[in-house]
Amino acid sequence: MKNYMKLMGAALAVATLAFTIPSPSYKVGDETKDFNLKNIDGKMVSLNDYKDAKGFIIIFTCNHCPFSKAYEQRIVALDKKYASVGYPVIAINSNDSATNPEDSYGKMIENAKEKGFTFPYLYDESQNIAKQYGALKTPHVYILKKNKNGNKVEYTGAIDDNSEDASLVKVKYVENAVDELIAGKALTTKETKAIGCGVKYRK
Amino acid sequence: MKLRILVFLLLAAFIANGQKVKVMNYSSLDSILSVKSDSIKVVNFWATWCGPCIAELPYFVKAQESFSNNKVTFTYVSLDFSKEADKVLKMAGKKGLTGNLYLLKDDPNYYVRKLSSYWEGQIPITLIVKPDGDYIFRFEPFENYEQLSSFIIQNL
């Protein structure tokens, strides 16, 4: 019984431990703060640089994660389809390269070249932007729409409904959302849940 | 030839272990979890690519032994791609998982919501299904065996 009480005490202590994964900070409808992050070409990138954009497809991703890899060509396709109509893709890697050496800045440059990334691939070394957004996994999408004050979150979640096989996708969540934004329609789906690799936050 | 021997050895290992990975959709998993039982079901959601998931598997192996006299069953639900089922089986064998092995193949946006409105899709998560059908969740990895054993004991 005494042991049992001890275990209960330990369990309570566990339950009160701080939650290590940040809960989503930006929700649909939130205004976002701009960022200034280093791109793979060494230049700094901010959303404010994109004077002609109507919005953005922000994607937290990385090199090592099988889900990120599975989506690389689909992300390239999204950028090709939507950058020219005002919704460019901006990819951000926030992973701690100490946890995953494959996610270092140097490897980002190699990966982007190898996979033919057409979009900025930014390095969030301080992890502050992932925390600001509440990015939980890779890939994790935030679609923003520009307004006179800045950029508002219109959609968060997954790219589509089949990470394993692009040919079996039934619902393209991101494409549908951007199409509806461009058409000035209300979004059918504003939020989806996804499985992915957890963003590797430093402890 | 070398490959053939390797395949044979792998197969032999799987057969010796008697384990299989059953690929299923969420509704099948849900029916299995809903089966009435006087045991509690400890259900761990993991994947071979997930570092924190692999790190906590030894605690589950220890719990499988420690709670073998109690009414506790262990189920491991892999969220790997279905084409990786062999990899899942290999990892389960290497780590010594003896419980039920499933691979969930479905739209996460559907099953993540269905399982719990508090789940954001991160893994590992662990769920205890109590005999009365209640679900008790842990949305974080276990950092040591004691955390897992107290989670189980609390719900025995």
Side-chain angles (χ1 to χ4, degrees):
Chain A
M1 189 61 197
K2 214 175 182 184
N3 262 335
Y4 182 72
M5 292 297 284
K6 222 191 238 171
L7 279 169
M8 284 295 281
L12 276 175
V14 170
T16 51
L17 271 180
F19 211 58
T20 47
I21 303 159
S23 51
S25 308
Y26 282 157
K27 293 196 174 59
V28 171
D30 286 351
E31 292 288 343
T32 62
K33 273 191 265 173
D34 203 350
F35 48 71
N36 189 37
L37 294 172
K38 188 160 81 169
N39 194 6
I40 41 175
D41 61 4
K43 292 180 185 146
M44 303 302 285
V45 170
S46 293
L47 298 182
N48 194 34
D49 303 335
Y50 290 76
K51 300 296 179 202
D52 298 329
K54 294 182 182 124
F56 300 93
I57 304 171
I58 309 276
I59 306 180
F60 288 89
T61 187
C62 67
N63 300 329
H64 90 276
C65 171
F67 282 80
S68 296
K69 286 182 182 164
Y71 274 111
E72 279 166 339
Q73 291 316 310
R74 280 178 262 184
I75 295 173
V76 170
L78 277 174
D79 187 60
K80 282 190 178 151
K81 184 165 179 187
Y82 292 109
S84 57
V85 290
Y87 281 85
V89 165
I90 311 259
I92 303 175
N93 169 30
S94 304
N95 272 356
D96 178 17
S97 61
T99 313
N100 286 99
E102 219 185 306
D103 291 332
S104 69
Y105 182 67
K107 297 279 184 188
M108 285 171 65
I109 298 170
E110 283 174 28
N111 194 42
K113 198 174 166 191
E114 194 183 314
K115 308 292 169 47
F117 286 5
T118 51
F119 43 83
Y121 188 21
L122 312 180
Y123 188 38
D124 177 22
E125 192 173 9
S126 69
Q127 307 191 309
N128 286 337
I129 304 309
K131 285 178 193 157
Q132 185 180 310
Y133 275 73
L136 286 166
K137 57 210 151 243
T138 54
H140 193 163
V141 181
Y142 294 78
I143 299 177
L144 312 183
K145 189 181 168 196
K146 203 186 256 187
N147 58 34
K148 56 178 189 286
N149 305 318
N151 294 284
K152 199 165 100 176
V153 180
E154 298 285 346
Y155 170 90
T156 71
I159 292 172
D160 57 42
D161 67 347
N162 195 321
S163 32
E164 178 165 3
D165 192 340
S167 68
L168 296 178
V169 167
K170 289 193 203 87
V171 191
K172 296 181 172 180
Y173 299 122
V174 166
E175 287 201 22
N176 291 351
V178 179
D179 286 343
E180 285 168 340
L181 285 175
I182 290 170
K185 289 184 193 158
L187 298 201
T188 314
T189 307
K190 295 179 179 179
E191 200 210 326
T192 57
K193 303 272 182 169
I195 297 293
C197 306
V199 171
K200 303 294 184 291
Y201 285 103
R202 277 184 290 273
K203 298 230 165 167
Chain B
M1 191 58 202
K2 257 187 187 165
L3 184 73
R4 213 177 271 176
I5 294 170
L6 184 72
V7 168
F8 174 77
L9 285 176
L10 281 175
L11 275 175
F14 296 156
I15 293 162
N17 207 356
Q19 272 190 310
K20 274 186 299 191
V21 179
K22 223 174 175 179
V23 178
M24 62 179 69
N25 62 15
Y26 182 75
S27 101
S28 305
L29 177 69
D30 189 46
S31 354
I32 291 171
L33 298 186
S34 316
V35 170
K36 282 235 174 348
S37 157
D38 54 359
S39 302
I40 67 162
K41 303 183 188 95
V42 177
V43 188
N44 178 247
F45 289 77
W46 70 295
T48 58
W49 45 260
C50 160
C53 303
I54 303 302
E56 67 171 10
L57 289 182
Y59 314 141
F60 283 83
V61 172
K62 193 169 171 191
Q64 288 170 175
E65 291 161 15
S66 312
F67 291 93
S68 59
N69 295 324
N70 299 78
K71 291 185 168 175
V72 182
T73 63
F74 289 85
T75 300
Y76 303 94
V77 181
S78 148
L79 302 183
D80 284 85
F81 292 153
S82 56
K83 63 181 176 212
E84 309 276 20
D86 286 353
K87 210 168 159 185
V88 172
L89 192 56
K90 209 172 141 190
M91 180 67 87
K94 191 175 141 197
K95 293 286 167 185
L97 305 181
T98 56
N100 308 307
L101 288 181
Y102 302 142
L103 190 152
L104 184 56
K105 187 180 166 74
D106 214 326
D107 175 13
N109 185 45
Y110 171 69
Y111 68 73
V112 169
R113 283 164 196 277
K114 275 279 195 185
L115 193 67
S116 166
S117 54
Y118 295 103
W119 188 20
E120 289 297 332
Q122 80 283 6
I123 49 173
I125 64 160
T126 302
L127 154 70
I128 285 182
V129 183
K130 307 229 287 187
D132 61 8
D134 267 2
Y135 282 14
I136 314 287
F137 284 96
R138 161 133 182 153
F139 291 107
E140 284 179 83
F142 294 99
E143 284 161 29
N144 50 50
Y145 170 70
E146 286 65 36
Q147 288 184 356
L148 172 59
S149 73
S150 52
F151 182 60
I152 297 172
I153 288 167
Q154 275 180 85
N155 294 296
L156 273 180

